[in-house]
Amino acid sequence: MTTNKRSFLDALWDFCCSLKLTLFTLIMLAATSVIGTVIQQGRSPEEYLRVYGENTYRIFEKLGFFDMYHSWWFLGLLALFAVNLIACSIKRLPRVWKTVRNPVLAPDDGLYRTLSNMEEMVSKQSPESLRGKIAEYLKTNFAPARVTEADGKVHFYAEKMAWARFGVYVTHASILIVFIGAIIGNVFGYKAYVNIVEGTETSRVWKRGGSQPTPIDLGFTVRCDKFSVTYYEGTMRPKLYKSLITVIDNGVEVKKDREVIVNDPLKYKGIVFYQSSYGPAGDPSFVLSVTERATGQNQTYNLRQGQPGRLANGLPFRVANFAENFQNFGPAVRIEVMPPGEPVRAFTVLKNFPQFDAQRGDDFIFSLDDFQQLQYTGLQVAKDPGVWVVWIGCILMMVGSIIAFFMSHRRVWITLVPLDGGKTGIKLGAAAHRNQAAFEMYFDDFKKNLKQELNS
Amino acid sequence: MFSDQIFNYTTLAYFIAMVLFISFIATKSKNVGLGGNIAAWIGFGLNTLAIGWRWYESKSLGYGHAPLSNLYESVVFFAWSILLIYLLMDIKYKQRALGAFVMPFAVLGMAWAQMMPDHSKSIQPLVPALQSNWLTYHVITCFIGYAGFAIACGASIMYLIKVGKEEKSGGANTPAGGIMSMFPSTRILDDINYKAIMIGWPMLTLGIVTGAAWANYAWGTYWSWDPKETWSLIVWFIYAAFLHARFTRGWVGRKAAWLSIIGFGATLFCYLGVNLVLSGLHSYGGG
């Protein structure tokens, strides 16, 4: 029983460490991620029902396809990915640690045979006279050597960039660190939004996610003093969305008239406000002037949208519609004159072209002098205490993968064996844990130069 | 615009290079291969000049942003990145036949860019979301990553052709003759495949990280599972699988080459497919 249990645990452990599991998880993560890019995420059930129909909807719903990146099976895959990373590191790291901390200082023939870069030669000089030369050569051409004497043999061991072996583990750990950062952000942070009408303030924002947005108390107050959109000259291409924001904490204006624009958020007490959207708040109001063609008499009206006014001849009229930019002609209103018992007469008046309405040939000439439309600014609000952990993870990921790909742990062993007649047998071996091809060429030069050095 | 003209000459130079590289495989003449290489260098020089000039033109118009902001600009920069990685590989391996399988990507890209309507080619000022230095870092890193994958894909296609031919002619010991004799050995092709991905993958990682940093700065979320983000992650997973496959017996060679080709297919979908087929945050300006 115990052996059975033991072997099952062993098998499970081997499974968790296996490279096959790595390939499986990576390919499964890649393949399943496609689903969420094809099926739009986080829409309303009605929308899904309309697109997919009853039956498919139910199946997709069960499989969590409508919020698949948070579904139990996708999170399970990510967890499997993490377990695999951790298990691999636990299994391999101690061995690598040993290679780095306790390298083989006195290699035997067996080790030399395993090295692909190997050379043997015989020198007429004695081990004692060679010893200094070799130590010096290694120091100037490669790295200072550690010298060991055993059984009359002298062993040299020199290495470069031993730490490069940890690059892979730094990369792997960095992924886990990013996961941890993401979890911290999810547990202790939130994503919210708030719409603030110009001139008003709020201390509550609305948390996203879940079926209903839930209110969150900020603990301070945010006021929007003004919102504006600027366009590139002569176009409708937006140049700048700008909110002027004031933060009031305990009755004190701690930030006054701070400009919040896209790509330049406002941060206060760990909560960040991002310029995100805008829109009209309430009905606009207008200043219209109407000139009677016959008399040249002029009258000014202050009207909200839809509010009726009365012309000099008694006919009612109103502003039916408003556009901030009508077909690139700038602000425009749609005026409706409503003679009783007759069809409504509707026409457009452009603010930038006050003479335009005269061409209509009516008894009354309209022009739009001014209008006022209050805007609201839409701010994204985020609190994410885990974001720094994520960035640390990202930096480590870059550093780790550069080390893992481009740095190589290179080792050189030299053993001097005293031979008869004062001669010395020299064994020379070297290994690199990356980019063997380049190291082979390096080793060829290395041994050629060493021979010359020793013979001189 | 003057830069458009230089882009035209760039396309021509790349096309000539491609034809010469293909002729090199057929004629086995070293001079033809050298000619292809010279044409590639000239094209790369012109491409660089044209991008620089377009930047200057943008400055003269009073905008001054790097020409990396719409589809047209991204395609010509993609061609530039492909040439950058290809020429680096050429310096290291001197395998001219590779050019016949890599240049078509650059030629197709440039030709497509040239055929775009004028309003797509015009220099437009940046909308608020793109007004950030992150734009430059994000685009450069992503496209150098993509370019690495393009070269890896070219090498993988050559690898599969060569391995297929060798197996047909019986055993890997008899090197395939004929046209195939100009192909690098399967060992070198495999190495080029790996090296190109070794450049591409960290660059893509950096591209994803800079994208996440920018998203966090602009919208307050470093990751929102937007289709473009997700597809970049899919590409990242595929090449991560490729890198690990090399340590697994039974996955080297053929399967690794296929993974590399599938990876580049996913890369192209990430770059273009997402914008053409799916909806999301990455609209290419006036593209």
Side-chain angles (χ1 to χ4, degrees), chain A residues 267-281:
Chain A
K267 193 171 178 181
Y268 184 69
K269 284 196 168 167
I271 299 169
V272 195
F273 298 83
Y274 303 83
Q275 180 64 56
S276 160
S277 64
Y278 71 98

Side-chain angles (χ1 to χ4, degrees), chain A residues 19-20 22-23 26-27 29-30 33-34 37-38 40 69-70 74 81 171-172 175 181-182 191 232 237-241 262-265 274-275 380 382 384 387 390-391 394 397-398 401 405-406 434-435, chain B residues 63 124-132 194-195 198-199 201-202 205-206 209 212-214 216-222 225 227 230-231 234 236-238 240-241 243-245 247-248 251 259 278-279 285:
Chain A
L19 218 48
K20 286 221 172 72
T22 313
L23 291 177
L26 286 172
I27 291 171
L29 280 168
S33 290
V34 176
T37 67
V38 179
Q40 298 221 325
Y69 302 108
H70 304 101
F74 192 77
F81 185 46
T171 311
H172 288 174
I175 294 169
K191 307 275 178 241
Y232 285 104
R237 203 178 169 80
K239 186 180 187 180
L240 195 67
Y241 302 122
V262 183
N263 278 311
D264 190 9
Y274 303 83
Q275 180 64 56
Q380 293 268 17
D384 190 346
V387 75
V390 172
W391 298 141
C394 288
M397 196 182 297
M398 290 319 304
S401 50
F405 285 130
F406 302 108
R434 285 263 184 278
N435 207 357
Chain B
Y63 309 139
Q124 294 284 348
L126 295 178
V127 294
L130 296 182
Q131 291 165 14
S132 168
Y194 180 57
K195 288 274 158 59
M198 232 168 72
I199 296 170
W201 194 77
T205 310
L206 198 54
V209 170
W214 184 13
N216 190 59
Y217 201 61
W219 300 310
T221 30
Y222 50 85
W225 296 104
T230 309
W231 270 95
I234 291 168
W236 191 86
F237 281 138
I238 294 175
L243 292 167
H244 289 88
F247 305 119
T248 318
W251 273 85
L259 257 184
L278 310 169
S279 58

Side-chain angles (χ1 to χ4, degrees), chain A residues 232, chain B residues 1-3 50-69 73 121-126:
Chain A
Y232 285 104
Chain B
M1 280 182 297
F2 184 54
S3 63
I51 291 171
W53 203 277
R54 195 178 162 87
W55 199 339
Y56 168 74
E57 282 166 346
S58 154
K59 281 210 166 85
S60 325
L61 285 169
Y63 309 139
H65 59 268
L68 301 166
S69 67
E73 290 172 339
K121 292 188 193 175
S122 67
I123 299 177
Q124 294 284 348
L126 295 178

Side-chain angles (χ1 to χ4, degrees), chain A residues 75 214 318 426:
Chain A
L75 293 177
T214 45
R318 60 175 187 150
I426 303 173

Side-chain angles (χ1 to χ4, degrees), chain A residues 32-44:
Chain A
T32 55
S33 290
V34 176
I35 298 168
T37 67
V38 179
I39 299 171
Q40 298 221 325
Q41 300 288 291
R43 300 295 160 113
S44 68

Side-chain angles (χ1 to χ4, degrees), chain A residues 167-182:
Chain A
V168 174
Y169 302 99
V170 171
T171 311
H172 288 174
S174 73
I175 294 169
L176 298 173
I177 292 171
V178 170
F179 282 179
I180 291 167

